[in-house]
Amino acid sequence: MADKLLDDLFHETLKDIYYAERQLLKALKKMARAAQSDRLKQAFEDHRAETETHVERLQKVFEIIGKPARGKTCQAIDGIIEEGDEVASEFKGTPALDAGLIAAAQAAEHYEIARYGTLRQWATQLGLDDAAALLEETLNEEAAADEVLTEIAESEGNQEAMNAKDG
Ligand SMILES: [Fe+2]
Ligand SMILES: [Fe+2]
């Protein structure tokens, strides 16, 4: 009984992150276009490419559990992406734009990190070791992407926003 429930929960959460990843593919493309610094643009483009792999890995996990790869609307990621859109339009053409885009992107990464951390743990509990390994690979890439964003924020994004205020 307990296993059956965890099984269902795993499948439902997989659908949630599958939807989120596919929305993020589109969002990252837009954010790369909106970003001002070349470094941030590149970071968004690189992570968009990684995100394609995340989608493929999820398709493999669906295969492992014998279910069709199908997403389910995730309001959390829709909200995070919407906030990013708002920042992009409100701060367009200002020195704070990149800092705002980084903040929005990090919210998305943290959402993914939370989801993949949970899914990996459940996969292990369910004895789905191959699925757990796939989920962990993506989890590590999300964490690395988050670190890159922190580094860019520290080295340029926030600095520019502050300089503009001082001057
Ligand atoms: Fe991802
Ligand atoms: Fe990500």
Side-chain angles (χ1 to χ4, degrees), residues 112-127:
E112 290 183 291
I113 289 166
R115 280 294 183 240
Y116 280 108
T118 299
L119 282 166
R120 181 198 48 182
Q121 192 212 322
W122 287 345
T124 303
Q125 271 176 256
L126 290 165

Side-chain angles (χ1 to χ4, degrees), residues 4 10 17 28 42 59 62-63 80-81 86 90 93 96 102 123 134 140 144 146 156-157 164 166:
K4 170 71 187 138
F10 182 77
I17 193 69
L28 283 162
Q42 192 60 52
Q59 288 165 346
F62 276 110
E63 229 177 272
I80 288 170
I81 291 172
E86 269 171 38
E90 272 173 43
I102 290 171
L134 288 165
N140 292 339
D146 182 50
E156 36 190 298
D166 292 347

